[in-house]
Amino acid sequence: MTAETASTQALFQPFACKSLRLPNRIVMAPMTRLFSPDGIPTPAVVDYYRRRAEGDVGLIVTEGTVIDRPAARNDPNIPLFHGEALDVWQTVVDQVHAAGGLIAPQVWHVGGAPNPMKSWLPPGGLESPSGVIGLDAPPGRAMSEEDIADVIAGYGRAATAAARIGFDAVEIHAAHGYLIDQFFWDRTNRRTDRWGGPTLAERSRFAVEVVKAMRAALGPDLPLILRVSQWKQQDYKARLATTPEELRQWLEPLAEAGTDIFHCSQRRYWEPEFDGSDLNFAGWAKKVTGKPTITVGSVGLSGEFLGAFRGEGSQPAGFDDVIRRLEREEFDLVAVGRALLTDWEWPIKVRDGRFSELRPFVREDMAVLS
């Protein structure tokens, strides 16, 4: 497959949701960068986001930034979204807006997911629904009712800060085996109280309360995005919803609680979510909730993103399939990760048909803020 494509016009149509007015359908996917020592983003982080705005990304979603909770991060270089770090995020917002861009923070709590590369632990250790991460290993403690209430309040405070700083939307990270996803998954949520249960709908109560808290803090007009996934870092083949009806039972209460846009993470966006239809995860989420969706998963590159952690590179790939799906309104927005990490001018080059100038992704790109 080459990067040549017949037309990219669909990628460059405007999109609106509440107060958010995007000039195109390209979203910068959140990507953990670990360039924030002691949780404080450096000037290089500010420049990194400003350049993506200069590159005409429709909406920038930041790397995961953690709520005001000691156990929310598993690496000291993950940025905070509280305290003095908020002054830097204010600078990021100002710089992105000055460059004509729009930006949303991704708000995060890692839960019981340990850092696979380091032995660092947060003060007091990790916390999770049941003290397990899906591998029958106890990396931390099970959360008490008081813990849960404080975490929900922490998400609300993060939303208040995002609105005050002037972010254009907010995304909740509820995917990939981190805290909210650990409540969704029966392998990591073994609770017998109101935060657990045998059904996915019951195990979604924590996420519903987080969404409600953030919705109340944001007010009615600032869009709230929820990133979800079937797969987990602990198990790439995991599935929360095995049928469209189970998907509806999972996502519909989250939509009713205040989610405006679902960001549907797949390793490969083109894979059908259920038998009998070629709709992908974002397509089915839109179908069962009626809400706009973002598709993501190896867009614009030949290899999936998890290969990057094995040292694999990827070549530029064509866009015909994602554009065809966008044109038929299977989903509304397209998130691009590694291609934008490698080349901040990616949207401009695609818009102008400069496909021969698109750069391949190499693992070394992850080690710098270009």
Side-chain angles (χ1 to χ4, degrees):
M1 180 184 287
T2 70
E4 298 296 332
T5 190
S7 172
T8 59
Q9 184 177 0
L11 280 172
F12 296 93
Q13 298 301 307
F15 170 82
C17 178
K18 293 188 171 179
S19 62
L20 187 66
R21 299 287 188 272
L22 303 184
N24 62 56
R25 303 303 180 99
I26 299 171
V27 175
M28 178 178 175
M31 291 173 283
T32 298
R33 303 311 316 273
L34 302 179
F35 284 95
S36 299
D38 296 321
I40 310 301
T42 65
V45 173
V46 178
D47 293 342
Y48 166 77
Y49 288 116
R50 188 198 69 248
R51 278 192 292 272
R52 272 64 195 175
E54 293 171 344
D56 288 349
V57 171
L59 176 66
I60 296 166
V61 180
T62 73
E63 62 205 285
T65 68
V66 298
I67 65 170
D68 186 8
R69 178 80 179 170
R73 59 181 178 154
N74 58 10
D75 190 294
N77 296 301
I78 290 173
L80 306 174
F81 203 72
H82 56 89
E84 62 181 293
L86 293 176
D87 293 335
V88 185
W89 288 118
Q90 178 73 74
T91 302
V92 170
V93 170
D94 292 344
Q95 290 286 314
V96 166
H97 286 171
L102 299 167
I103 186 167
Q106 187 189 71
V107 182
W108 191 23
H109 186 311
V110 303
N115 187 322
M117 306 300 292
K118 299 177 182 178
S119 59
W120 185 88
L121 289 173
L126 298 169
E127 61 187 7
S128 63
S130 303
V132 295
I133 61 167
L135 304 175
D136 296 317
R141 59 183 177 81
M143 296 169 68
S144 67
E145 282 280 351
E146 183 179 6
D147 294 331
I148 290 172
D150 189 61
V151 167
I152 292 169
Y155 276 102
R157 291 193 298 272
T160 298
R164 174 177 57 80
I165 288 170
F167 279 97
D168 303 288
V170 177
E171 176 168 292
I172 305 170
H173 195 343
H176 305 164
Y178 294 110
L179 181 67
I180 296 176
D181 205 17
Q182 289 164 16
F183 274 91
F184 290 145
W185 197 23
D186 59 0
R187 282 178 58 185
T188 46
N189 185 347
R190 305 176 185 179
R191 302 178 71 99
T192 57
D193 60 7
R194 64 191 177 112
W195 305 109
T199 69
L200 180 53
E202 290 171 302
R203 297 190 302 273
S204 297
R205 288 172 181 150
F206 174 74
V208 166
E209 293 305 314
V210 168
V211 171
K212 287 180 177 178
M214 296 192 75
R215 176 82 279 157
L218 293 175
D221 295 328
L222 203 64
L224 183 59
I225 306 167
L226 187 71
R227 196 178 215 213
V228 291
S229 69
Q230 297 264 38
W231 69 272
K232 320 296 169 202
Q233 59 184 301
Q234 303 95 318
D235 183 354
Y236 297 155
K237 296 181 179 179
R239 293 177 64 78
L240 298 176
T242 58
T243 66
E245 177 57 22
E246 288 182 346
L247 186 70
R248 185 193 65 76
Q249 293 175 8
W250 173 27
L251 300 184
E252 195 172 68
L254 294 163
E256 293 172 351
T259 299
D260 296 302
I261 301 171
F262 286 96
H263 189 171
C264 301
S265 178
Q266 292 181 263
R267 295 169 64 196
R268 308 170 186 91
Y269 82 87
W270 56 86
E271 293 183 340
E273 191 58 32
F274 302 114
D275 292 340
S277 169
D278 68 346
L279 288 180
N280 73 358
F281 185 25
W284 272 108
K286 182 176 182 177
K287 185 178 179 69
V288 301
T289 67
K291 296 288 186 178
T293 59
I294 306 170
T295 196
V296 67
S298 305
V299 174
L301 289 172
S302 60
E304 64 156 343
F305 74 97
L306 289 170
F309 299 101
R310 300 188 293 268
E312 299 172 9
S314 294
Q315 295 298 314
F319 316 108
D320 284 351
D321 181 60
V322 74
I323 289 170
R324 174 181 62 83
R325 292 169 182 263
L326 191 59
E327 288 175 337
R328 74 182 189 188
E329 300 182 350
E330 180 175 340
F331 40 74
D332 302 273
L333 298 164
V334 177
V336 179
R338 290 165 299 146
L340 274 170
L341 185 153
T342 294
D343 186 356
W344 61 270
E345 293 185 291
W346 189 91
I348 296 173
K349 292 176 179 178
V350 170
R351 182 195 64 202
D352 295 345
R354 293 156 51 191
F355 304 118
S356 64
E357 299 178 29
L358 295 177
R359 294 170 50 190
F361 167 81
V362 295
R363 186 182 185 183
E364 288 74 18
D365 292 335
M366 299 177 67
V368 297
L369 286 174
S370 62

